[in-house]
Amino acid sequence: MSFRNRLSLLMVCMTAGWTALAGVAKGAELLLVPSITLKEEHNDNIFLTAQNATSDFITTIVPGVRGRARTERFDGDLTVGFNYLDYLRHNLLDGLDFFGRNSLAYRVTPRLSVSAGGGYVRNSRPDQLSATGIALNAGSDRYNAQGGANLAVDELTNTSLTYGYDRQKFDNALQLPTTTHSVTLALDHDLDKVLPRTRSGVTFLYSNDDVVSSQVDNYAASLVMSYTPRELWKMSGSVGGRFTHSTFESSGHTFRTDDTGLIGSLSLGYADDRNDGTLSFTRDLATASGGSSVTERTSLNLSLGRRLTEELRGEVASSFAYNRTRQNQFSAVEINEKTLTARGSLRYTMTRYLDAEALYQYTHVDSGGEGGAAVQNLVMLRVNLSYEMGR
């Protein structure tokens, strides 16, 4: 997509979002937050490659503005801005990356609410990772939209229906554009009378991943439960199964395969006045962004944070993702990639409007190739200035 088309798309999103906000501005609680962020980083592997790692200093300037309008029944939120990237030595990688996102929620009746949203993100960095942890090694344009409705059947039971759309295109022709549609139906019930502080439910999911060389239809169902043993703790989990039908091209022939598998998740969270942390495990089927199909993903995430003083907060986090797809399981291409990331940060709040952060991040990506694993060390200093204007 050309620079002009990206700018036009962002302006359309911004105009639609601000029009919606202006439509409810009369009598609404309004908030406008302009901001600017400056990042300075040293990256020892700017292409996230296994061999011939190249380092550089990168300056990123991020001006943006967020607007929000609220009434008793309506909540609208819009954020727009851009990332200006300046590489000290590799000037061909310099870029101007626009982003915009908005969300709208409306309570039709005390029991029924509807919502919608969408966004666009341009990311020209060649070292980005997908949401599943797969190394993309290319810049991309990503569009998404979602909508849904939530109905409180009674005081104890909620139902929701949501639709999601996601499309990602890449600068590198070897990375295939991917389009995903998904529909989720969920039922949630409060079990407090039987099991105190417990909720349970079921979730049904249908998703379609459309790539140039393959189509994947996935059907999944899960039992979901959450439990709050104490005010400071929260536990949740799910277990279920999936049925996946794939159609793909290979060597001039069309293949059709069916596959089944277990899916599930487990999460533990804690938060008090000074400390917080989460530990989560996930096993599911996810889009292999830039690849030819989907991938079975197993991930483990841990984050720990502590407020050291009124102004200073520290955080450490780590995540591991294993993406595995056998040849001819969902497509003709095999995926066998392990990604480990770890980071530590210190954030200092100088004033209500100004804060600074120092961050170190380590990334290790093993794609199973003969060239070995890609390793990246990133050190960054960030300063953010924002100002709230509203009534």
Side-chain angles (χ1 to χ4, degrees):
M1 180 182 288
S2 67
F3 175 85
R4 179 177 296 178
N5 289 338
R6 291 176 188 140
L7 181 59
S8 298
L9 178 63
L10 183 66
M11 293 301 295
V12 169
C13 294
M14 183 173 65
T15 301
W18 282 114
T19 300
L21 293 181
V24 297
K26 185 177 181 180
E29 177 186 344
L30 299 176
L31 180 69
L32 188 66
V33 186
S35 64
I36 185 167
T37 301
L38 173 64
K39 304 176 185 177
E40 190 67 41
E41 71 178 79
H42 178 262
N43 188 326
D44 70 354
N45 192 349
I46 60 175
F47 297 103
L48 198 58
T49 54
Q51 296 180 332
N52 302 319
T54 303
S55 65
D56 207 341
F57 288 90
I58 308 170
T59 300
T60 308
I61 303 174
V62 191
V65 60
R66 178 192 176 194
R68 186 176 184 181
R70 299 181 65 183
T71 67
E72 291 183 356
R73 303 176 67 177
F74 176 86
D75 192 343
D77 200 307
L78 171 68
T79 300
V80 293
F82 64 86
N83 293 291
Y84 171 71
L85 296 166
D86 180 77
Y87 287 74
L88 181 63
R89 292 189 292 268
H90 300 77
N91 303 117
L92 293 178
L93 297 177
D94 293 352
L96 188 64
D97 295 347
F98 294 104
F99 62 87
R101 55 184 178 272
N102 61 64
S103 62
L104 306 172
Y106 183 73
R107 192 169 72 252
V108 183
T109 70
R111 291 189 174 185
L112 176 64
S113 60
V114 296
S115 62
Y120 165 76
V121 176
R122 166 64 187 171
N123 189 344
S124 62
R125 291 185 61 136
D127 62 341
Q128 62 175 306
L129 297 173
S130 72
T132 64
I134 295 177
L136 299 176
N137 301 116
S140 67
D141 294 275
R142 186 170 186 175
Y143 321 80
N144 66 81
Q146 54 278 331
N150 185 87
L151 175 65
V153 180
D154 53 39
E155 294 182 355
L156 301 178
T157 306
N158 290 311
T159 61
S160 64
L161 178 65
T162 58
Y163 164 77
Y165 168 84
D166 190 277
R167 177 166 176 79
Q168 194 166 12
K169 300 175 65 177
F170 299 90
D171 299 343
N172 188 342
L174 297 178
Q175 300 279 37
L176 302 177
T178 306
T179 303
T180 302
H181 301 268
S182 64
V183 178
T184 304
L185 174 64
L187 174 67
D188 178 71
H189 184 73
D190 191 336
L191 300 176
D192 191 66
K193 292 183 179 180
V194 181
L195 297 172
R197 301 180 297 278
T198 303
R199 298 188 69 90
S200 183
V202 292
T203 301
F204 302 95
L205 167 71
Y206 166 73
S207 63
N208 171 266
D209 284 89
D210 184 3
V211 189
V212 174
S213 58
S214 71
Q215 286 251 6
V216 179
D217 295 293
N218 184 55
Y219 307 83
S222 299
L223 296 174
V224 182
M225 182 171 287
S226 64
Y227 173 57
T228 307
R230 298 181 181 179
E231 293 184 358
L232 304 179
W233 292 89
K234 185 173 183 179
M235 300 173 59
S236 63
S238 67
V239 62
R242 62 168 179 82
F243 171 78
T244 308
H245 176 75
S246 307
T247 303
F248 56 91
E249 304 290 332
S250 179
S251 303
H253 300 281
T254 300
F255 294 86
R256 294 177 175 84
T257 64
D258 294 328
D259 190 82
T260 59
L262 292 175
I263 58 175
S265 65
L266 184 64
S267 176
L268 175 65
Y270 174 86
D272 61 28
D273 292 339
R274 298 183 64 88
N275 308 284
D276 60 84
T278 59
L279 175 64
S280 63
F281 168 83
T282 304
R283 168 74 172 180
D284 61 3
L285 196 73
T287 303
S289 300
S292 60
S293 186
V294 296
T295 174
E296 288 188 295
R297 176 183 60 172
T298 303
S299 63
L300 182 65
N301 300 276
L302 172 67
S303 67
L304 300 170
R306 179 175 174 81
R307 183 167 57 84
L308 303 171
T309 68
E310 289 296 326
E311 299 83 13
L312 185 63
R313 171 180 167 81
E315 182 177 316
V316 293
S318 181
S319 65
F320 173 78
Y322 180 34
N323 290 281
R324 181 75 172 100
T325 296
R326 302 186 307 274
Q327 188 175 15
N328 297 328
Q329 182 180 13
F330 307 116
S331 71
V333 178
E334 179 183 8
I335 298 174
N336 185 8
E337 187 161 310
K338 304 178 184 71
T339 303
L340 172 68
T341 62
R343 71 176 185 274
S345 66
L346 284 174
R347 179 180 176 182
Y348 183 74
T349 303
M350 304 178 199
T351 69
R352 177 183 176 184
Y353 310 109
L354 182 65
D355 65 83
E357 181 183 30
L359 177 144
Y360 166 75
Q361 180 170 292
Y362 170 83
T363 303
H364 183 282
V365 180
D366 185 355
S367 303
E370 297 180 356
V375 176
Q376 181 189 77
N377 293 277
L378 184 152
V379 178
M380 183 182 71
L381 295 176
R382 179 193 62 84
V383 178
N384 178 72
L385 176 64
S386 62
Y387 183 77
E388 293 187 1
M389 300 182 293
R391 59 176 176 87

